[in-house]
Amino acid sequence: MRPRVYIDGHVGTTGLRIREWLARRTDIELLTLPDHSRKETSARKDRILAADLVVLCLPDDAAREAARWAAHGTTRIIDASTAHRVAADWVYGLPELAPGQRDAIRSARLVANPGCYPSAVILLVRPLIDAGLVARTAPLTCHALSGYSGGGRPMIEKWEDPAGGLRALVYEAPYALDRVHKHIPEMVHYSGLQREPYFEPAVGPFRCGMRVQIPLHADVLLPRADAGRVWEVLHERYRDEPFVRVMAIPAQGGTHERSFDPQACNDTNRIELHVLPHPSGHVLLMAILDNLGKGASGVAIQCLNLMLGFAETMGLPFSHREESREHP
């Protein structure tokens, strides 16, 4: 029998993308509910308990409640909310996190899907901390730019409302300047940092896409590492990863205004990592990804594939409008 998969919250931005990418597959049975009952508690409970695997695309409190419904059953769960990302009894669903993480995901019953910003920060920083190039106590700063779909339906409606005129902005709009962003705990927990980074997120006048930048002051790099050594560590860590691409260090003067388009990985499950040297010895780390691809829905499908025994790349696009060769 084909494994049965149910997406609880399939009309949200993450759920819609997961459903779109799974709907074309013939190796799973996608359970659904009619629109008139998709919010009914009893109907949702029945679907959750009937499924082999459930993907929760819900607000945090609703995700906690749904997870409790399945607590004493055999249904396996991938939670795309922030509710369980640092919980002790949940496995963090970032396959590229560290050696052994894939095996942990394969055997887990409870998997917490990573956030879009943390995925980029962790993949950039964790290998450097593991290699001793950056101290765990380093005071890091992260500036990140995301498409407005990252804020879910309320932000999408706000930015796409013609009366607001936000789509006509010619600059990015910083946000969360007066609070600790909800992604900070997982950034710290899984990157290996012991100090909270200064995180400055911003929204741009485009729907999807993300660029995350972490400047490393020359004094932060240990022991006197340079961009070449940083690149080597990242390349060695991710050389066999199908969805992580460590881009070549550009030649001096080899970049221009369009070199780092935050939408370059849109509609894919790819993340591109850049190492950019500065003449003063500083290094800029940069990641580009689709906040609804590798940043949310795509990595959830990676975990789903691992948990159900499929090839990890099954049904996931590597490049724009390109399907995995293993798509059934």
Side-chain angles (χ1 to χ4, degrees):
M1 293 179 60
R2 295 178 299 166
R4 294 160 297 179
V5 174
Y6 174 59
I7 305 168
D8 194 8
H10 73 271
V11 299
T13 51
T14 298
L16 281 171
R17 177 72 69 87
I18 294 173
R19 186 177 185 181
E20 175 190 350
W21 283 358
L22 290 181
R24 295 168 288 185
R25 293 176 57 165
T26 60
D27 53 354
I28 62 171
E29 180 184 353
L30 197 56
L31 303 181
T32 60
L33 283 173
D35 286 344
H36 66 81
S37 60
R38 64 179 176 82
K39 293 185 178 181
E40 293 179 1
T41 298
S42 60
R44 291 172 52 223
K45 279 185 178 180
D46 289 344
R47 282 292 185 271
I48 288 173
L49 295 175
D52 297 296
L53 187 146
V54 172
V55 185
L56 303 178
C57 299
L58 303 166
D60 286 7
D61 287 344
R64 293 186 185 98
E65 180 182 44
R68 287 194 293 269
W69 296 342
H72 303 295
T74 59
T75 302
R76 304 173 79 184
I77 300 174
I78 298 173
D79 180 14
S81 80
T82 63
H84 299 104
R85 289 180 183 165
V86 295
D89 51 347
W90 289 67
V91 172
Y92 194 58
L94 186 60
E96 302 89 353
L97 174 65
Q101 194 66 16
R102 282 186 170 83
D103 290 336
I105 294 169
R106 283 190 184 98
S107 60
R109 194 177 79 83
L110 304 173
V111 171
N113 211 50
C116 49
Y117 291 128
S119 290
V121 171
I122 292 164
L123 292 177
L124 286 169
V125 173
R126 174 70 178 264
L128 306 184
I129 290 177
D130 288 348
L133 300 191
V134 174
R136 295 180 183 275
T137 56
L140 299 187
T141 297
C142 175
H143 172 70
L145 171 63
S146 175
Y148 55 78
S149 64
R153 181 169 296 175
M155 187 175 285
I156 292 172
E157 292 176 351
K158 180 179 180 180
W159 277 76
E160 293 187 346
D161 182 358
L166 292 177
R167 292 290 301 275
L169 284 182
V170 293
Y171 54 85
E172 63 185 44
Y175 75 99
L177 297 177
D178 57 350
R179 66 182 187 272
V180 177
H181 196 280
K182 64 181 182 179
H183 286 173
I184 290 292
E186 61 184 294
M187 286 184 190
V188 174
H189 190 80
Y190 296 107
S191 67
L193 289 170
Q194 294 178 355
R195 302 175 71 175
E196 178 184 310
Y198 176 59
F199 179 49
E200 183 191 34
V203 181
F206 49 92
R207 186 179 179 93
C208 290
M210 178 170 282
R211 185 175 63 216
V212 177
Q213 300 174 195
I214 302 174
L216 300 178
H217 192 282
D219 293 345
V220 168
L221 292 170
L222 305 170
R224 299 183 63 82
D226 59 10
R229 178 62 182 140
V230 170
W231 185 91
E232 288 173 359
V233 168
L234 293 178
H235 180 261
E236 182 61 28
R237 172 68 74 91
Y238 302 123
R239 64 188 307 165
D240 296 321
E241 292 293 345
F243 296 114
V244 183
R245 296 182 180 176
V246 181
M247 312 303 285
I249 295 177
Q252 185 173 4
T255 63
H256 51 79
E257 292 80 358
R258 300 183 186 276
S259 293
F260 307 113
D261 181 356
Q263 302 177 85
C265 293
N266 279 9
D267 302 315
T268 79
N269 193 51
R270 187 175 76 248
I271 182 169
E272 296 178 352
L273 306 184
H274 297 264
V275 178
L276 306 171
H278 188 274
S280 297
H282 313 312
V283 175
L284 179 62
L285 304 177
M286 182 186 295
I288 294 175
L289 65 159
D290 183 344
N291 57 290
L292 291 182
K294 182 61 175 160
S297 307
V299 70
I301 295 176
Q302 277 185 263
C303 292
L304 176 148
N305 285 336
L306 289 168
M307 295 168 75
L308 295 180
F310 299 121
E312 185 179 336
T313 56
M314 187 72 79
L316 287 168
F318 291 92
S319 60
H320 185 59
R321 301 188 187 282
E322 174 188 340
E323 296 297 328
S324 164
R325 292 189 181 90
E326 294 174 300
H327 192 290

